[in-house]
Each structure stands twice: as structure tokens, then as C-alpha cells.
Amino acid sequence: MALAEARVRRYKWDVKYEFKSPDCYKKLAITVNGKTPGPAIMAQQGDTVVVEVTNNLVTENLAIHWHGIRQVGSPWSDGTEGVTQCPILPGETFTYRFVVDRAGLYGSIRVSLPDGVAEPFPYDYDKSIILTDWYHNSTHEQAAGLSSIPFSWIGEPQSVLIHGKGKFDCSKLAPPSSDPSACNATNPECSPYVLTVVPGKTYRLRISSMAILSALSFQIEGHNMTIVEADGHYVEPIVVQNLFIYSGETYSVLIQIDQEASRNYWITTNIVGRNATATTPPGLAVLNYYPNHPKRVPPMNPPAGPIWNDVAPRVAQSLAIKSHQGYIHTPPPKSDRVIVFLNTQNKINGYNHWSVNNVSLSLPHTPYLIALKENLHHVFDQHPLPDQLPGFADYDIYRVANNTNATSSDAIYRLKFNTTVDIILQNANSMTPNNSETHPWHLHGHDFWVLGYGTGKFDPDNDPKKYNLANPIMKNTVPVHPYGWTALRFIADNPGVWLFHCHIESHFYMGMGVVFEEGVDKVGKLPSEIMGCGETKGFNRP
């Protein structure tokens, strides 16, 4: 059979601010081609995607990360400012070009299988749902609070949006705005998202979380869901009533449209892991059984979500997700290097930070990829970072640590090309007594095997004996649960410089990340478009 020729899919994205009211409250939102959420990219495995991005934000720099795309052979298209490129300046256009080498859902990029290749599960229709938490404060206000003394936390979101639509209670505006359009509950922009379905059919829902803080639970009234795919990899099917999903994750679930057909049903999403019960109402959408009217309100109250601080079912879901029997990628049996990353919260010079092994990441002005390729050794700290915190064996994860020796650094981890690396993410107490948060960690440029989760302190002698090497799922984003650890394995086989960070936006802003370099000598000639900042001003310009 001749393989269909790979195509080039071309898109033009215009990024700018517009007034939007996704939860009835009017505020400035970043839009792509006038939309939020932005447009979907549809491609087939093996295609080349070309996106011409114009930054019309006027006063802000821009870079776009293509979450879950490994960027094999195109590390300069990863879209991480300070790591792989200089930012796109206001008014400038930058072209991202990359190959989508695997089927799956990556944020808003849906990649289908090659012609003639079947999936391991049948379904009739395919829909995508994006979940987000939504704040009325701008990111500038949030960032100013995070980097202030006294520290000002961003708080819980005002709304949770299901596919760009939510409902904020306008009466909560204090004091009431003199502008009647500031919050309008009858604005059609914030009418609930409606998913119309045909009775008797099976639907695949591709659910992705683009939350900046919240861990979410997703459920559909009266319907079980079967998890069949996670981060682009097939899962041994699991039936659940609600799906726990962390920032940066994607899942596919199957639902049977087999309930009483004379009514509609609620789709709900609730915040878990943080106490938002008093502040943030659940996200609501409608599963519309055709031919009922899409605006017909379901007759029952929406189902209550899980208890926000009940960690056990969240850990149980993490443990239950295994690779589909026919699609197991077996991990290497052992690793060449083990790096233990202790997640801590610290104060540095009076400012609040998140840190890894007491080091808080600060990105340099000259992107690492260019600095390493052009041998600009002086633009970031060349000292190697430790593979575990000195004194980790005695570190008490259950109490607020002193952490007086925390530092801020732009040093990186150099990985030997093609070696197998184990990462142990170890959670601990934050600076608040009896508090340990859920952190979803995302690796750029790779998928990793999830070898195990545990509660308490990682035991380097005994816990590796319990690793799942038989059928571990591969992912690019994974949670580390409160007072727990998560073990990952990946092969450093993608030449480039790759960020590994907590996907909670404010935690990453506060330094919760590391940078890996591997095989940078094998990276091809860097395009001049990624230059122009730091010490690359004027580089490669004709």
C-alpha cells in the first residue's frame, strides 16, 4: 500500500486583545483570529504544520508553545521564550514550522491517523472540549502581585469555562459597575456551551485542560465515560464517573448516548485540590439529546462534584492509567541517571518563590538554544546543578522547611545524548503549615514513561522495585500529588534545549522549572528569526 503523501498545512494567526465576555463579565482577552479559545489545527500524522503568527498585542512580546509536539528536528519552533527563541516583538510576524509525527490531541492541534489505519476503539462522532479557569484580573496584575512584598497570591478563578463559556454571578460585582455592559447575564457570549448528540450513537470527547491553576473534575450527568487515550497514547480502557484532569493534560473518553432521550443532561466541571467552593461556581454545559431544544434546561440539579480535598480517588485514577495492551512502548529496563527534584516553596530576599532542590529558575535574556549553539558561555551560569538536594535523605517533607539557602539561578541540566534518565518528582510541604499542593509537570520535546506514584517520601532503595515496567503509559504532563512522588523515565534522544516545569502558570512564573540540554551539537543551523534579543541582537542579519 502506498503511503499517502504528507501534506503541508498552512495557517495564519493574528494575535491581539479584544473585549470578550466568556463568563458574562467583559474584559480584555487575548484572541487568535478574533476567537478565544483560538482556532483548531487539523492535520494528519506526518504532515508539516506551518503557522505564521503576527503579534498585534501592541505592548507585549509573544511566543506560542505547541504543547505535546516533540519538535524533532525543529527545536527552535518549540515556542519557549528564553529557552528556544527570542520573543515575537509587537507588530512582527514569526513562522513556526514543525512535523506532527503522531496522532492525538495536543492542545488545539488534532492529528488524525494515516489513511487506512484504525483506532483500537470504535465511535461515531469526534468532539473536542477545552476546559479553562478564568480570571477577571489581567496577567499583569497577577504577576505584579506575585513579585511584590508583601506577596499577593492570584486567588481562585472567578469562573470555570467549558469550551469558552461560563457563568459569573453579576450581582457579586462590588461595587456594582456604572457600566451596564460590564457584566450582562443575558449576553449570548456566555450562554452555556451545548453539545448536541444523537441517541444510540457513541461519541469520542477529546478533553484538554488549559487551566492556569485549577485541577478539575469533569463529569456528565447520568453517563459513564470510558478513558481510552491520554496525551496522545492509547489507554487500556477504564470506566469512570468523573475524569480528573490537570493543567496541560489531554484525554479522550467515549460516551454512549443511551439515556432517557426526552431530556437534556448537565455537563459539569469542578475545581479539586484547592478549596474554591465559596468562590468559584462549577462550570456548566448542556448535553443536548437531539431533537430536544438545545436551550431546554435539564430537569435535575447538576451533579455535585467530588469532595475538593479527597486525594485518594485522584491518586487511584493516576495509578489506573496503563498503556493499551496492543500499543505498549516498553521502557528501557534501567536508567543511566536518576535526578530527584524536590518541589519546595521558598523566600529569596523576601520574595516568594517556588523552587526545585532549593533552586528557583530564572530565564536568561539570551535563549539557551542560541547560547549553547553559538558557544556564548558567559550568558548563563555554567555550573552543574545537583541530581538531588544535598541532605535530601534527612529532609522532612511534612513540615515547613527553613530553606534559608534557596537561590535563584539560570543554570541547566546537561544530559548525555541518547541516555535514559529517571526523574523523581518529590512533593513536600509549602510555606503554609499542613499544606502540600498538586503540581502538574510538563516536559517539552519528549514523552516520558510514568513508572509509578507513591505517597510520602521516595525511598531510593525500595520504591524502584515497584516500578511498572510492563505497561506504563507515556505522557508529556503528569501530576505529583500532595505529599507524594511521581517517577518518570525518558530517553534524551531529541537534540535541543527543553523546558520541564510546573504547568501552573504562577508557579512557573515563580521559578518552578528546570531546563535540559541534550545533543545540542546535533542541532542544525539556527534560523535567524529566533534571534534579536540579549546577546543575539544583530546575529545572522544580512
Side-chain angles (χ1 to χ4, degrees), residues 355-413:
S355 307
V356 177
N357 295 346
N358 280 355
V359 178
S360 186
L361 176 66
S362 60
L363 295 173
H365 291 298
T366 304
Y368 292 111
L369 181 62
I370 311 170
L372 288 157
K373 196 72 188 147
E374 306 284 346
N375 294 315
L376 305 173
H377 297 303
H378 58 287
V379 299
F380 69 91
D381 185 346
Q382 298 294 306
H383 291 95
L385 291 163
D387 282 5
Q388 71 171 40
L389 181 75
F392 175 71
D394 303 318
Y395 189 95
D396 183 355
I397 64 164
Y398 292 103
R399 67 181 184 86
V400 177
N402 192 353
N403 287 347
T404 47
N405 56 346
T407 55
S408 196
S409 171
D410 57 15
I412 64 173
Y413 285 85

Short mmCIF file of all heavy atoms in Angstrom, two decimals, residues 355-413:
data_model
loop_
_atom_site.label_atom_id
_atom_site.label_comp_id
_atom_site.label_asym_id
_atom_site.label_seq_id
_atom_site.Cartn_x
_atom_site.Cartn_y
_atom_site.Cartn_z
N SER A 355 10.61 26.45 43.98
CA SER A 355 11.96 26.01 43.64
C SER A 355 12.01 24.51 43.44
O SER A 355 11.11 23.77 43.86
CB SER A 355 12.94 26.39 44.76
OG SER A 355 12.84 27.75 45.07
N VAL A 356 13.09 24.08 42.80
CA VAL A 356 13.39 22.67 42.63
C VAL A 356 14.76 22.46 43.27
O VAL A 356 15.74 23.10 42.86
CB VAL A 356 13.41 22.30 41.13
CG1 VAL A 356 13.81 20.86 40.94
CG2 VAL A 356 12.05 22.57 40.50
N ASN A 357 14.81 21.61 44.30
CA ASN A 357 16.05 21.42 45.06
C ASN A 357 16.61 22.75 45.57
O ASN A 357 17.83 23.00 45.52
CB ASN A 357 17.09 20.66 44.24
CG ASN A 357 16.65 19.24 43.93
OD1 ASN A 357 15.71 18.73 44.54
ND2 ASN A 357 17.31 18.59 42.98
N ASN A 358 15.69 23.61 46.01
CA ASN A 358 16.04 24.93 46.56
C ASN A 358 16.66 25.87 45.53
O ASN A 358 17.29 26.87 45.90
CB ASN A 358 16.98 24.81 47.77
CG ASN A 358 16.21 24.46 49.04
OD1 ASN A 358 14.98 24.41 49.02
ND2 ASN A 358 16.92 24.22 50.12
N VAL A 359 16.50 25.56 44.24
CA VAL A 359 16.95 26.48 43.19
C VAL A 359 15.73 26.92 42.39
O VAL A 359 14.97 26.10 41.89
CB VAL A 359 17.98 25.81 42.25
CG1 VAL A 359 18.39 26.77 41.14
CG2 VAL A 359 19.20 25.34 43.03
N SER A 360 15.55 28.23 42.30
CA SER A 360 14.41 28.81 41.58
C SER A 360 14.90 29.26 40.19
O SER A 360 15.90 29.96 40.08
CB SER A 360 13.87 29.99 42.37
OG SER A 360 12.69 30.49 41.80
N LEU A 361 14.19 28.84 39.15
CA LEU A 361 14.65 29.09 37.78
C LEU A 361 14.38 30.53 37.36
O LEU A 361 13.27 31.04 37.50
CB LEU A 361 13.93 28.14 36.80
CG LEU A 361 14.23 28.33 35.32
CD1 LEU A 361 15.68 28.00 34.98
CD2 LEU A 361 13.29 27.47 34.46
N SER A 362 15.42 31.19 36.84
CA SER A 362 15.23 32.49 36.19
C SER A 362 15.81 32.37 34.78
O SER A 362 16.97 31.97 34.63
CB SER A 362 15.93 33.59 36.99
OG SER A 362 17.32 33.32 37.07
N LEU A 363 15.02 32.69 33.78
CA LEU A 363 15.48 32.51 32.39
C LEU A 363 16.38 33.67 31.97
O LEU A 363 16.14 34.82 32.33
CB LEU A 363 14.28 32.41 31.45
CG LEU A 363 13.39 31.18 31.66
CD1 LEU A 363 12.13 31.27 30.79
CD2 LEU A 363 14.14 29.89 31.36
N PRO A 364 17.42 33.38 31.19
CA PRO A 364 18.35 34.45 30.76
C PRO A 364 17.77 35.27 29.60
O PRO A 364 16.79 34.87 28.98
CB PRO A 364 19.58 33.66 30.30
CG PRO A 364 19.02 32.35 29.82
CD PRO A 364 17.82 32.05 30.68
N HIS A 365 18.40 36.41 29.33
CA HIS A 365 17.93 37.26 28.22
C HIS A 365 18.30 36.66 26.87
O HIS A 365 17.63 36.94 25.87
CB HIS A 365 18.53 38.67 28.35
CG HIS A 365 17.97 39.43 29.51
ND1 HIS A 365 16.63 39.76 29.61
CD2 HIS A 365 18.55 39.89 30.64
CE1 HIS A 365 16.42 40.39 30.74
NE2 HIS A 365 17.57 40.49 31.39
N THR A 366 19.36 35.88 26.83
CA THR A 366 19.76 35.22 25.58
C THR A 366 19.28 33.78 25.64
O THR A 366 19.66 33.04 26.55
CB THR A 366 21.29 35.25 25.41
OG1 THR A 366 21.74 36.61 25.49
CG2 THR A 366 21.71 34.65 24.08
N PRO A 367 18.42 33.34 24.71
CA PRO A 367 17.86 31.98 24.79
C PRO A 367 18.97 30.91 24.84
O PRO A 367 19.99 31.02 24.14
CB PRO A 367 17.04 31.86 23.51
CG PRO A 367 16.66 33.27 23.17
CD PRO A 367 17.84 34.10 23.58
N TYR A 368 18.74 29.90 25.68
CA TYR A 368 19.74 28.83 25.86
C TYR A 368 20.13 28.17 24.54
O TYR A 368 21.32 27.88 24.32
CB TYR A 368 19.19 27.74 26.78
CG TYR A 368 18.98 28.13 28.21
CD1 TYR A 368 17.69 28.24 28.73
CD2 TYR A 368 20.06 28.36 29.07
CE1 TYR A 368 17.48 28.57 30.07
CE2 TYR A 368 19.86 28.69 30.40
CZ TYR A 368 18.56 28.80 30.90
OH TYR A 368 18.36 29.12 32.21
N LEU A 369 19.15 27.90 23.69
CA LEU A 369 19.45 27.18 22.44
C LEU A 369 20.50 27.93 21.62
O LEU A 369 21.45 27.33 21.10
CB LEU A 369 18.16 26.98 21.62
CG LEU A 369 18.30 26.21 20.31
CD1 LEU A 369 18.77 24.78 20.53
CD2 LEU A 369 16.97 26.21 19.53
N ILE A 370 20.34 29.26 21.54
CA ILE A 370 21.29 30.06 20.76
C ILE A 370 22.62 30.15 21.51
O ILE A 370 23.70 29.98 20.92
CB ILE A 370 20.73 31.46 20.48
CG1 ILE A 370 19.30 31.37 19.93
CG2 ILE A 370 21.62 32.22 19.51
CD1 ILE A 370 18.57 32.70 19.84
N ALA A 371 22.56 30.37 22.82
CA ALA A 371 23.80 30.50 23.61
C ALA A 371 24.65 29.23 23.50
O ALA A 371 25.87 29.31 23.33
CB ALA A 371 23.45 30.78 25.07
N LEU A 372 24.01 28.06 23.57
CA LEU A 372 24.75 26.80 23.51
C LEU A 372 25.28 26.54 22.11
O LEU A 372 26.40 26.06 21.94
CB LEU A 372 23.85 25.65 23.98
CG LEU A 372 23.57 25.65 25.49
CD1 LEU A 372 22.29 24.90 25.80
CD2 LEU A 372 24.74 25.03 26.25
N LYS A 373 24.47 26.85 21.11
CA LYS A 373 24.87 26.57 19.73
C LYS A 373 26.00 27.52 19.29
O LYS A 373 26.88 27.14 18.52
CB LYS A 373 23.64 26.74 18.83
CG LYS A 373 23.76 26.14 17.45
CD LYS A 373 23.71 24.63 17.47
CE LYS A 373 24.03 24.08 16.09
NZ LYS A 373 24.72 22.82 16.12
N GLU A 374 25.96 28.75 19.79
CA GLU A 374 26.95 29.76 19.38
C GLU A 374 28.08 29.91 20.41
O GLU A 374 28.86 30.85 20.33
CB GLU A 374 26.24 31.12 19.18
CG GLU A 374 25.06 31.09 18.23
CD GLU A 374 25.48 31.04 16.76
OE1 GLU A 374 26.67 31.28 16.47
OE2 GLU A 374 24.61 30.74 15.91
N ASN A 375 28.10 28.99 21.40
CA ASN A 375 29.16 28.99 22.43
C ASN A 375 29.27 30.31 23.19
O ASN A 375 30.37 30.81 23.44
CB ASN A 375 30.52 28.63 21.79
CG ASN A 375 30.51 27.19 21.28
OD1 ASN A 375 30.05 26.29 21.98
ND2 ASN A 375 30.99 27.00 20.07
N LEU A 376 28.12 30.87 23.55
CA LEU A 376 28.11 32.08 24.37
C LEU A 376 28.06 31.65 25.84
O LEU A 376 27.03 31.72 26.50
CB LEU A 376 26.90 32.95 24.03
CG LEU A 376 26.73 33.33 22.55
CD1 LEU A 376 25.40 34.03 22.31
CD2 LEU A 376 27.88 34.24 22.10
N HIS A 377 29.19 31.19 26.35
CA HIS A 377 29.19 30.55 27.67
C HIS A 377 28.93 31.53 28.81
O HIS A 377 28.56 31.11 29.90
CB HIS A 377 30.54 29.85 27.91
CG HIS A 377 30.79 28.73 26.95
ND1 HIS A 377 29.92 27.68 26.80
CD2 HIS A 377 31.80 28.52 26.07
CE1 HIS A 377 30.39 26.85 25.87
NE2 HIS A 377 31.53 27.35 25.41
N HIS A 378 29.12 32.81 28.57
CA HIS A 378 29.02 33.77 29.67
C HIS A 378 27.59 34.25 29.92
O HIS A 378 27.36 34.99 30.88
CB HIS A 378 29.91 34.99 29.36
CG HIS A 378 29.54 35.66 28.07
ND1 HIS A 378 29.82 35.09 26.85
CD2 HIS A 378 28.88 36.82 27.82
CE1 HIS A 378 29.36 35.89 25.89
NE2 HIS A 378 28.80 36.94 26.45
N VAL A 379 26.63 33.85 29.07
CA VAL A 379 25.29 34.45 29.21
C VAL A 379 24.43 33.71 30.23
O VAL A 379 23.36 34.20 30.59
CB VAL A 379 24.55 34.57 27.86
CG1 VAL A 379 25.32 35.44 26.89
CG2 VAL A 379 24.25 33.22 27.26
N PHE A 380 24.83 32.52 30.66
CA PHE A 380 24.12 31.87 31.78
C PHE A 380 25.12 31.09 32.62
O PHE A 380 26.24 30.80 32.20
CB PHE A 380 22.96 30.99 31.27
CG PHE A 380 23.40 29.74 30.53
CD1 PHE A 380 23.60 28.54 31.20
CD2 PHE A 380 23.58 29.75 29.15
CE1 PHE A 380 23.99 27.39 30.53
CE2 PHE A 380 23.95 28.61 28.47
CZ PHE A 380 24.17 27.42 29.16
N ASP A 381 24.70 30.75 33.83
CA ASP A 381 25.56 30.08 34.81
C ASP A 381 25.95 28.69 34.30
O ASP A 381 25.08 27.87 34.02
CB ASP A 381 24.79 29.99 36.13
CG ASP A 381 25.63 29.43 37.27
OD1 ASP A 381 26.72 28.87 37.00
OD2 ASP A 381 25.18 29.53 38.43
N GLN A 382 27.25 28.43 34.19
CA GLN A 382 27.73 27.16 33.63
C GLN A 382 27.89 26.06 34.68
O GLN A 382 28.20 24.92 34.35
CB GLN A 382 29.09 27.38 32.94
CG GLN A 382 29.02 28.34 31.76
CD GLN A 382 28.20 27.80 30.60
OE1 GLN A 382 28.44 26.71 30.11
NE2 GLN A 382 27.20 28.56 30.17
N HIS A 383 27.67 26.38 35.95
CA HIS A 383 27.86 25.37 37.00
C HIS A 383 26.80 24.27 36.88
O HIS A 383 25.63 24.57 36.65
CB HIS A 383 27.77 26.00 38.40
CG HIS A 383 28.92 26.91 38.70
ND1 HIS A 383 28.87 28.27 38.50
CD2 HIS A 383 30.15 26.64 39.18
CE1 HIS A 383 30.03 28.81 38.84
NE2 HIS A 383 30.83 27.84 39.26
N PRO A 384 27.20 23.00 37.05
CA PRO A 384 26.19 21.93 37.02
C PRO A 384 25.31 21.98 38.27
O PRO A 384 25.76 22.38 39.35
CB PRO A 384 27.03 20.64 36.99
CG PRO A 384 28.35 21.01 37.55
CD PRO A 384 28.56 22.47 37.25
N LEU A 385 24.05 21.60 38.10
CA LEU A 385 23.11 21.56 39.22
C LEU A 385 23.12 20.16 39.83
O LEU A 385 23.40 19.17 39.14
CB LEU A 385 21.70 21.91 38.74
CG LEU A 385 21.52 23.39 38.32
CD1 LEU A 385 20.27 23.56 37.48
CD2 LEU A 385 21.47 24.28 39.55
N PRO A 386 22.79 20.03 41.13
CA PRO A 386 22.86 18.71 41.77
C PRO A 386 21.73 17.78 41.33
O PRO A 386 20.62 18.23 41.04
CB PRO A 386 22.72 19.05 43.26
CG PRO A 386 21.95 20.33 43.30
CD PRO A 386 22.37 21.09 42.06
N ASP A 387 22.01 16.47 41.27
CA ASP A 387 21.00 15.48 40.90
C ASP A 387 20.03 15.19 42.04
O ASP A 387 19.02 14.52 41.83
CB ASP A 387 21.65 14.18 40.42
CG ASP A 387 22.16 14.29 38.99
OD1 ASP A 387 22.08 15.41 38.43
OD2 ASP A 387 22.64 13.29 38.43
N GLN A 388 20.38 15.65 43.24
CA GLN A 388 19.38 15.69 44.31
C GLN A 388 19.83 16.71 45.33
O GLN A 388 21.01 17.10 45.35
CB GLN A 388 19.12 14.32 44.93
CG GLN A 388 20.21 13.74 45.79
CD GLN A 388 19.71 12.48 46.51
OE1 GLN A 388 18.99 11.67 45.94
NE2 GLN A 388 20.10 12.32 47.74
N LEU A 389 18.87 17.16 46.14
CA LEU A 389 19.20 18.16 47.15
C LEU A 389 20.19 17.57 48.14
O LEU A 389 19.97 16.47 48.68
CB LEU A 389 17.91 18.54 47.89
CG LEU A 389 18.06 19.61 48.98
CD1 LEU A 389 18.23 20.98 48.36
CD2 LEU A 389 16.84 19.60 49.89
N PRO A 390 21.32 18.24 48.38
CA PRO A 390 22.22 17.76 49.43
C PRO A 390 21.43 17.65 50.74
O PRO A 390 20.72 18.58 51.12
CB PRO A 390 23.30 18.85 49.51
CG PRO A 390 23.24 19.55 48.18
CD PRO A 390 21.82 19.46 47.72
N GLY A 391 21.50 16.50 51.38
CA GLY A 391 20.73 16.30 52.61
C GLY A 391 19.30 15.86 52.38
O GLY A 391 18.48 15.88 53.30
N PHE A 392 18.98 15.44 51.14
CA PHE A 392 17.60 15.01 50.85
C PHE A 392 17.16 13.86 51.75
O PHE A 392 16.01 13.78 52.17
CB PHE A 392 17.48 14.59 49.37
CG PHE A 392 16.12 14.02 49.02
CD1 PHE A 392 15.00 14.84 48.94
CD2 PHE A 392 15.97 12.65 48.77
CE1 PHE A 392 13.75 14.31 48.63
CE2 PHE A 392 14.72 12.12 48.45
CZ PHE A 392 13.61 12.95 48.38
N ALA A 393 18.09 12.95 52.07
CA ALA A 393 17.76 11.78 52.89
C ALA A 393 17.18 12.20 54.23
O ALA A 393 16.34 11.49 54.80
CB ALA A 393 19.00 10.91 53.10
N ASP A 394 17.57 13.38 54.74
CA ASP A 394 17.09 13.83 56.05
C ASP A 394 15.98 14.87 55.95
O ASP A 394 15.52 15.39 56.97
CB ASP A 394 18.25 14.42 56.86
CG ASP A 394 19.38 13.42 57.02
OD1 ASP A 394 19.08 12.24 57.29
OD2 ASP A 394 20.56 13.81 56.86
N TYR A 395 15.57 15.20 54.74
CA TYR A 395 14.59 16.29 54.55
C TYR A 395 13.20 15.80 54.99
O TYR A 395 12.74 14.74 54.54
CB TYR A 395 14.57 16.73 53.09
CG TYR A 395 13.75 17.98 52.83
CD1 TYR A 395 14.37 19.22 52.78
CD2 TYR A 395 12.37 17.92 52.62
CE1 TYR A 395 13.63 20.39 52.54
CE2 TYR A 395 11.63 19.07 52.39
CZ TYR A 395 12.26 20.30 52.35
OH TYR A 395 11.53 21.44 52.12
N ASP A 396 12.54 16.57 55.82
CA ASP A 396 11.20 16.21 56.30
C ASP A 396 10.16 16.89 55.40
O ASP A 396 9.98 18.11 55.46
CB ASP A 396 11.03 16.67 57.75
CG ASP A 396 9.68 16.26 58.33
OD1 ASP A 396 8.84 15.73 57.58
OD2 ASP A 396 9.46 16.50 59.54
N ILE A 397 9.49 16.09 54.56
CA ILE A 397 8.54 16.67 53.59
C ILE A 397 7.26 17.15 54.27
O ILE A 397 6.43 17.80 53.62
CB ILE A 397 8.20 15.68 52.46
CG1 ILE A 397 7.48 14.44 53.01
CG2 ILE A 397 9.45 15.31 51.66
CD1 ILE A 397 6.78 13.62 51.92
N TYR A 398 7.05 16.79 55.54
CA TYR A 398 5.77 17.09 56.20
C TYR A 398 5.78 18.38 57.02
O TYR A 398 4.79 18.73 57.62
CB TYR A 398 5.35 15.92 57.10
CG TYR A 398 4.99 14.69 56.31
CD1 TYR A 398 5.86 13.61 56.21
CD2 TYR A 398 3.77 14.63 55.62
CE1 TYR A 398 5.53 12.49 55.46
CE2 TYR A 398 3.43 13.50 54.88
CZ TYR A 398 4.31 12.44 54.80
OH TYR A 398 3.98 11.34 54.05
N ARG A 399 6.90 19.08 57.03
CA ARG A 399 6.88 20.33 57.80
C ARG A 399 7.39 21.49 56.95
O ARG A 399 8.02 21.28 55.91
CB ARG A 399 7.71 20.19 59.09
CG ARG A 399 9.18 20.01 58.89
CD ARG A 399 9.92 19.86 60.22
NE ARG A 399 11.36 19.78 59.99
CZ ARG A 399 12.15 20.86 59.89
NH1 ARG A 399 11.64 22.06 59.97
NH2 ARG A 399 13.45 20.71 59.70
N VAL A 400 7.09 22.69 57.41
CA VAL A 400 7.57 23.88 56.70
C VAL A 400 9.08 23.94 56.90
O VAL A 400 9.56 24.01 58.03
CB VAL A 400 6.90 25.15 57.24
CG1 VAL A 400 7.46 26.38 56.55
CG2 VAL A 400 5.39 25.08 57.06
N ALA A 401 9.81 23.88 55.80
CA ALA A 401 11.27 23.85 55.90
C ALA A 401 11.82 25.25 56.11
O ALA A 401 11.18 26.25 55.76
CB ALA A 401 11.86 23.24 54.64
N ASN A 402 13.01 25.30 56.65
CA ASN A 402 13.66 26.58 56.87
C ASN A 402 14.07 27.20 55.52
O ASN A 402 13.81 28.37 55.25
CB ASN A 402 14.89 26.34 57.77
CG ASN A 402 15.44 27.64 58.29
OD1 ASN A 402 15.00 28.70 57.89
ND2 ASN A 402 16.41 27.55 59.18
N ASN A 403 14.70 26.37 54.67
CA ASN A 403 15.02 26.78 53.29
C ASN A 403 15.70 28.15 53.18
O ASN A 403 15.45 28.90 52.26
CB ASN A 403 13.75 26.82 52.43
CG ASN A 403 13.26 25.43 52.09
OD1 ASN A 403 13.98 24.46 52.28
ND2 ASN A 403 12.05 25.32 51.60
N THR A 404 16.56 28.45 54.13
CA THR A 404 17.22 29.75 54.07
C THR A 404 18.26 29.80 52.95
O THR A 404 18.69 30.88 52.56
CB THR A 404 17.92 30.04 55.41
OG1 THR A 404 18.65 28.86 55.77
CG2 THR A 404 16.92 30.36 56.50
N ASN A 405 18.64 28.61 52.44
CA ASN A 405 19.72 28.61 51.44
C ASN A 405 19.18 28.56 50.01
O ASN A 405 19.88 28.15 49.10
CB ASN A 405 20.65 27.40 51.69
CG ASN A 405 19.86 26.08 51.68
OD1 ASN A 405 18.64 26.11 51.75
ND2 ASN A 405 20.57 24.96 51.61
N ALA A 406 17.94 28.95 49.80
CA ALA A 406 17.39 28.93 48.44
C ALA A 406 18.06 30.01 47.58
O ALA A 406 18.37 31.10 48.07
CB ALA A 406 15.89 29.15 48.49
N THR A 407 18.26 29.67 46.33
CA THR A 407 18.89 30.63 45.41
C THR A 407 18.09 30.68 44.11
O THR A 407 17.32 29.79 43.80
CB THR A 407 20.33 30.21 45.06
OG1 THR A 407 20.29 28.87 44.54
CG2 THR A 407 21.25 30.26 46.25
N SER A 408 18.35 31.73 43.35
CA SER A 408 17.75 31.88 42.03
C SER A 408 18.88 31.67 41.02
O SER A 408 19.98 32.17 41.22
CB SER A 408 17.18 33.29 41.91
OG SER A 408 16.31 33.37 40.85
N SER A 409 18.62 30.90 39.96
CA SER A 409 19.71 30.57 39.03
C SER A 409 19.18 30.32 37.63
O SER A 409 18.03 29.91 37.45
CB SER A 409 20.45 29.31 39.53
OG SER A 409 21.37 28.85 38.56
N ASP A 410 20.05 30.56 36.62
CA ASP A 410 19.70 30.19 35.25
C ASP A 410 20.57 29.02 34.76
O ASP A 410 20.71 28.80 33.56
CB ASP A 410 19.80 31.39 34.30
CG ASP A 410 21.18 32.05 34.30
OD1 ASP A 410 22.13 31.43 34.81
OD2 ASP A 410 21.30 33.17 33.77
N ALA A 411 21.15 28.27 35.72
CA ALA A 411 21.93 27.08 35.35
C ALA A 411 21.00 25.99 34.83
O ALA A 411 19.80 25.99 35.10
CB ALA A 411 22.73 26.58 36.55
N ILE A 412 21.56 25.01 34.07
CA ILE A 412 20.73 23.99 33.42
C ILE A 412 21.32 22.60 33.68
O ILE A 412 22.44 22.45 34.17
CB ILE A 412 20.62 24.23 31.89
CG1 ILE A 412 22.00 24.09 31.21
CG2 ILE A 412 20.00 25.59 31.60
CD1 ILE A 412 21.93 24.15 29.69
N TYR A 413 20.54 21.58 33.33
CA TYR A 413 20.98 20.19 33.41
C TYR A 413 21.44 19.75 32.02
O TYR A 413 20.68 19.84 31.05
CB TYR A 413 19.84 19.28 33.90
CG TYR A 413 19.57 19.41 35.37
CD1 TYR A 413 18.74 20.42 35.85
CD2 TYR A 413 20.16 18.55 36.29
CE1 TYR A 413 18.51 20.57 37.22
CE2 TYR A 413 19.93 18.68 37.65
CZ TYR A 413 19.10 19.69 38.10
OH TYR A 413 18.88 19.83 39.46
#
